[in-house]
Each structure stands twice: as structure tokens, then as C-alpha cells.
Amino acid sequence: MSSNSQPKEVVTKKQKKPYPVYLGGVAASIAASITHPLDLTKVRLQASGDTGMIQSLRKTVRTAGVRGLFDGVSATLFRQMTYSMCRFWAYDESKKLLHTGPDMPGWKMAAAGAMAGTVAGVVGNPGEILMVRMQGDFAKPPEKRLNYKHVFDGLFRMIREEGFSSLGRGVYPNVIRSVLMNASQLASYDYFKAQLLRTKYFKDNIACHFTASLMAGTVATTVCSPADVLKSRVMNASGPGSSSTLAVIKNSFKNEGAMFMFKGWIPAWTRLQPTTILIFLTLEQLKNLTDVIRGDS
């Protein structure tokens, strides 16, 4: 045996640290800021008598100017840094509980999304209420407007004028919507991404992330539309006798029929698609940046 032979060095792959909890909230905040006018239009279509997206946009600009397209943006950011930050964190933790190793089945992804949606729906409910109210305020007659100055003014006024329990208004439809959103959007993105990477046409890059998020946005819009409409109508109600979810459903069915559940689907799809794409593209890039900073790239 050769005297200069040496034992082979065993190379162990360095395990990545978990990504910071706030990455999901930051990515969602960036995306929501860009798509805020479309989100505003969707909420006003669902909560008012406007009949089309263009009509609603024109009405907003006519009554409040271009600045009106960003009504409630502080509430939107507050919502993203509570609801979205929580859902991305809870989704990652739920996946660890449900599965170890590679090739996680799609149904487990959906289950992890549903678990995350339950937690995030409760945590993010106050921000959801404030976002819906502030976005829909200018669509109301002047005498019925709430005129919140900013998200924290709205939060303190809700507690002072309506009681602490008002922060839970509409929590049940919101949690249902959150479960549907996360079970469809987060899970379908992971599923589509995994399937695309198995083909010879995609690598783990922006093209793959864009395609997977495009598919995920369409799935999420269709799955979430009924709960989204119901959530907006319940949360936008502020008068006596308007807090019953069942009463809102009955009145909507009576006045508009079953298709009220899909009112605003086109602006919802138009808003959710770019939002979904921006969220996942931004999140993937933030993860890459984190890897570079840590030296894990």
C-alpha cells in the first residue's frame, strides 16, 4: 500500500438555518402596496352597488382624486405584517409537523395551508376589518363614512366606540376564507413549483417561480371568491343588527341570488394574480438575499 495515501475527507452539507419570520410579511407588503388600487376596487365592488371595475375606478377618482386609489393603504400594510407574516411562518411550521424528507404529497401541503390559514385568520382579523372599512369608506354617502385617519386611529376608535369584541367581527368567514386561501395559494404554489422542477424545461429560477405563482393565483381566486365576498360584506357592516353572518347571507341571496358569491371575480382575479406573482417572486428573492448574506448561497 502506498505510504502517501490519505483518508478521504467526508464533506457534509451545511444545513440551512430557518429564514427570518418577517420575510413573508415584507414580501406581502411590497406586493400589496403595488396592487392596492385593484384591491380597493375589488372591495368596493363587493360592498357597494357598483356594476363594473372601470365604473368603480372612475367613481373613486371622481370623488377622491387619484390619491383616493390608495385609501386605506396603512391598514393594508398593517394587515400584511400581521396576517401574511403569520401565515407564511405557520405554513412552514405546519409542513415540518406533517412531513419529513423530500417529496411532500399535495394533500399534506393543502393540510399545512389550512392549518396556517386557521391561525393567521384569527391573528389578522383586526387588520382585515380595518382594511375593508378604510378601503370602502369613500364608496359610502358622506354621512355614513367612518373617516378613520389611519389604521391605528381606526383600531382605537373601534375599541372605544364598538367595544373590544368588535375586533372579532366576521372572524368566522374570515377564518374560512383564510383556510381556503392558504390551502389553495400556498399549497398550489409549492405543488406546481415541485412539478415544474421535475420537467426538463424549468430550473429553480424566476421563470419557474413566475409560472407556479400564475397557476396558484388562478386556483386561489376561484376557491376563495364566495368566502371573500361574504367576509367583505360582514366586515363592512357597522350598524345595529348587521353583525349576524347568517343575516348577511339571507339578505344577499334574497336581493341578488346565488351568484352574489362570485361578484367581483374578475377584479379579484386581476388583483390576486399580480399580488400572488409579486409575493412569491419577492419572497424567493428575499430568501436568496438572505442566503447570500449568510454565505449559504
Side-chain angles (χ1 to χ4, degrees), residues 3-225:
S3 60
N4 59 2
S5 62
Q6 297 179 356
K8 292 182 179 180
E9 183 179 354
V10 178
V11 178
T12 57
K13 188 176 180 181
K14 184 180 178 182
Q15 188 174 7
K16 286 187 177 181
K17 296 179 182 178
Y19 290 106
V21 174
Y22 59 79
L23 282 191
V26 172
S29 295
I30 293 171
S33 298
I34 296 171
T35 61
H36 185 79
L38 292 175
D39 195 25
L40 179 73
T41 302
K42 180 207 69 171
V43 170
R44 289 181 175 177
L45 271 173
Q46 292 172 347
S48 69
D50 294 343
T51 57
M53 183 171 63
I54 302 300
Q55 178 191 0
S56 185
L57 282 167
R58 287 177 176 174
K59 181 179 178 181
T60 298
V61 174
R62 184 174 64 250
T63 57
V66 176
R67 186 178 178 182
L69 295 175
F70 291 90
D71 285 341
V73 71
S74 65
T76 297
L77 296 177
F78 178 78
R79 183 241 186 185
Q80 298 304 336
M81 291 307 296
T82 52
Y83 165 74
S84 289
M85 184 169 67
C86 180
R87 73 181 181 123
F88 278 104
W89 167 80
Y91 179 60
D92 287 339
E93 294 301 314
S94 298
K95 286 193 294 184
K96 294 175 186 176
L97 290 173
L98 295 176
H99 188 76
T100 56
D103 301 325
M104 186 175 188
W107 70 268
K108 285 190 176 182
M109 294 179 186
M115 291 166 65
T118 302
V119 176
V122 175
V123 172
N125 199 68
E128 196 84 31
I129 298 172
L130 289 163
M131 184 184 72
V132 170
R133 288 189 175 189
M134 291 180 72
Q135 288 179 351
D137 214 27
F138 270 96
K140 298 178 180 179
E143 66 276 9
K144 293 185 178 181
R145 293 176 186 170
L146 297 168
N147 294 317
Y148 295 152
K149 296 176 182 178
H150 47 74
V151 64
F152 295 109
D153 176 56
L155 184 64
F156 296 141
R157 280 183 54 189
M158 276 185 64
I159 296 172
R160 184 173 66 249
E161 297 170 9
E162 303 174 49
F164 190 79
S165 62
S166 66
L167 299 179
R169 179 189 291 272
V171 68
Y172 297 115
N174 188 43
V175 168
I176 291 171
R177 187 259 187 189
S178 180
V179 168
L180 294 174
M181 172 61 73
N182 290 284
S184 57
Q185 187 191 56
L186 298 187
S188 62
Y189 174 78
D190 274 356
Y191 177 79
F192 289 132
K193 179 183 174 182
Q195 296 305 309
L196 291 171
L197 289 174
R198 288 182 178 180
T199 71
K200 62 181 180 180
Y201 304 107
F202 288 93
K203 295 182 179 180
D204 193 359
N205 54 25
I206 290 179
C208 176
H209 305 157
F210 176 86
T211 306
S213 58
L214 184 69
M215 296 176 179
T218 301
V219 172
T221 304
T222 305
V223 170
C224 296
S225 183

